[in-house]
Amino acid sequence: MNFKSFLNFVLIIFLFFSCSKEIEKKSIIKEKSLDLQVLEAYTEGKNSLEAGDVLYAAKKFNEAELLYPQSNWAPKSALMAAYSYYIQDYYGDSIAELERFIKIYSQNKNIDYAYYLLAVCYYEQIVDEKKDLQSIIKAKQTFNKVISDFPNTDYAIDAKYKINLINNLLASKEMYVGRYYVKKKKWIPAINRFRVVVDEYDTTIYVEEALHRLVEVYFILGLKSEAQKYANLLGYNYQSSKWYENSYSNFNKSYKKQIIEKEKKKNSILRKAKSLFDLDG
């Protein structure tokens, strides 16, 4: 190799390393720039949420997630978008975001919060136990998922409380239909409804009345042994109850239906989002 060829070889090597460093430098600058864009979008979303502009907040959180799907900010942003919709009662949008989160980020550390918020979205749509059966069923299923998969969390504790309320709603529906059948003197369908309450919702506030109604209907039908069986059960468990006292009397015409009022407020557990998704979280 002559001297000229040697110089050309050295020049090529120098240019190669120079280009590599330049590419690496540009890559680092681009990466930092992307992180900065994500942080700016997330911060803008959080500020908008605190200012009450939930739709714009959700938009910015979605933007932060899409900018850098592989970053730690992506799952945070997805959950915050769902929370933004929820806080203003856009339940359909929140549910869609949460279902997507659960599918994409199933191993994320905040998956318990996602399931809990999903259950609450269904739960808060319950207005009438006679009409909102789908919301009731989905809320109960999702709360049970929280209890079974995340038993040692605050979410599980609140889920158990809300399932008790849901069971009261379901029992209320069965009692409503059972009373209707009694008024129509359709005794067998009425018995079936009251037995559902006794067998499946025995921890609810309606079980005492259900036992009383069974005593009453069986007595009307002349099935005194069956009436006595449920009277004994009512007396053994609820001897101080008004339903025990009325077990062999006529219908209590002045009976007022007990109503379970659902508190529709953003509770302290959900407000935990502020600590979960702070910039330094």
Side-chain angles (χ1 to χ4, degrees):
M1 180 184 294
N2 57 36
F3 184 71
K4 184 177 180 181
S5 298
F6 176 75
L7 285 177
N8 288 336
F9 176 74
V10 172
L11 181 60
I12 290 170
I13 295 297
F14 176 77
L15 290 173
F16 174 78
F17 280 109
S18 296
C19 290
S20 297
K21 289 181 179 179
E22 186 65 26
I23 291 169
E24 184 179 349
K25 184 178 179 182
K26 287 181 179 179
S27 177
I28 292 171
I29 292 172
K30 184 177 180 181
E31 186 177 338
K32 287 183 178 178
S33 177
L34 189 58
D35 280 335
L36 185 59
Q37 290 178 57
V38 172
L39 184 58
E40 286 177 350
Y42 189 92
T43 304
E44 192 173 350
K46 196 166 185 297
N47 292 339
S48 297
L49 177 60
E50 291 172 352
D53 192 350
V54 298
L55 294 179
Y56 186 73
K59 177 183 175 182
K60 297 307 293 185
F61 287 129
N62 285 145
E63 182 182 315
E65 180 189 8
L66 291 172
L67 277 169
Y68 199 171
Q70 291 77 34
S71 73
N72 291 331
W73 292 104
K76 280 188 175 185
S77 299
L79 264 187
M80 285 302 284
Y83 182 77
S84 299
Y85 286 126
Y86 160 76
I87 207 70
Q88 202 63 38
D89 298 345
Y90 291 106
Y91 296 117
D93 294 302
S94 185
I95 288 169
E97 290 285 348
L98 289 165
E99 288 178 342
R100 186 175 65 83
F101 178 93
I102 290 168
K103 183 177 180 180
I104 297 174
Y105 306 109
S106 60
Q107 303 304 313
N108 185 264
K109 64 179 181 179
N110 294 317
I111 191 69
D112 53 351
Y113 183 85
Y115 274 110
Y116 176 75
L117 183 54
L118 179 62
V120 170
C121 283
Y122 289 127
Y123 176 78
E124 290 192 0
Q125 292 182 83
I126 302 169
V127 177
D128 187 332
E129 71 276 9
K130 297 183 288 294
K131 298 177 182 178
D132 300 326
L133 190 58
Q134 196 66 21
S135 293
I136 293 173
I137 291 171
K138 287 185 176 181
K140 187 173 181 179
Q141 287 174 342
T142 314
F143 278 130
N144 277 324
K145 173 78 172 175
V146 172
I147 293 168
S148 64
D149 289 9
F150 317 105
N152 301 318
T153 63
D154 289 341
Y155 308 131
I157 294 172
D158 194 58
K160 289 176 184 177
Y161 169 73
K162 285 186 168 62
I163 282 179
N164 286 335
L165 295 180
I166 289 171
N167 284 338
N168 273 293
L169 288 171
L170 292 170
S172 172
K173 179 178 179 294
E174 296 296 333
M175 292 303 299
Y176 174 84
V177 177
R179 292 187 212 106
Y180 170 80
Y181 283 137
V182 166
K183 288 179 181 178
K184 296 296 181 180
K185 297 184 179 181
K186 295 183 177 181
W187 309 119
I188 302 304
I191 287 172
N192 291 337
R193 294 292 181 164
F194 297 139
R195 286 190 63 178
V196 167
V197 176
V198 172
D199 295 339
E200 298 182 21
Y201 305 115
D202 59 331
T203 60
T204 69
I205 61 174
Y206 293 98
V207 67
E208 296 169 41
E209 185 197 352
L211 287 167
H212 163 68
R213 300 299 183 194
L214 285 170
V215 171
E216 198 161 35
V217 172
Y218 279 123
F219 192 81
I220 290 171
L221 293 173
L223 300 173
K224 294 187 178 180
S225 61
E226 286 295 310
Q228 186 64 51
K229 179 179 76 173
Y230 286 105
N232 290 341
L233 187 59
L234 181 59
Y236 181 79
N237 291 288
Y238 309 101
Q239 193 164 2
S240 61
S241 164
K242 70 172 184 178
W243 298 112
Y244 175 70
E245 297 172 0
N246 295 333
S247 284
Y248 293 103
S249 65
N250 292 324
F251 271 100
N252 180 2
K253 300 295 185 182
S254 63
Y255 172 67
K256 293 182 180 180
K257 181 182 174 183
Q258 299 182 47
I259 299 173
I260 301 298
E261 291 187 355
K262 173 176 58 63
E263 292 184 0
K264 189 178 177 183
K265 62 181 182 180
K266 311 312 176 189
N267 62 43
S268 58
I269 296 178
L270 286 173
R271 287 198 298 270
K272 187 180 178 183
K274 289 187 178 296
S275 61
L276 280 175
F277 309 112
D278 280 342
L279 296 178
D280 56 351

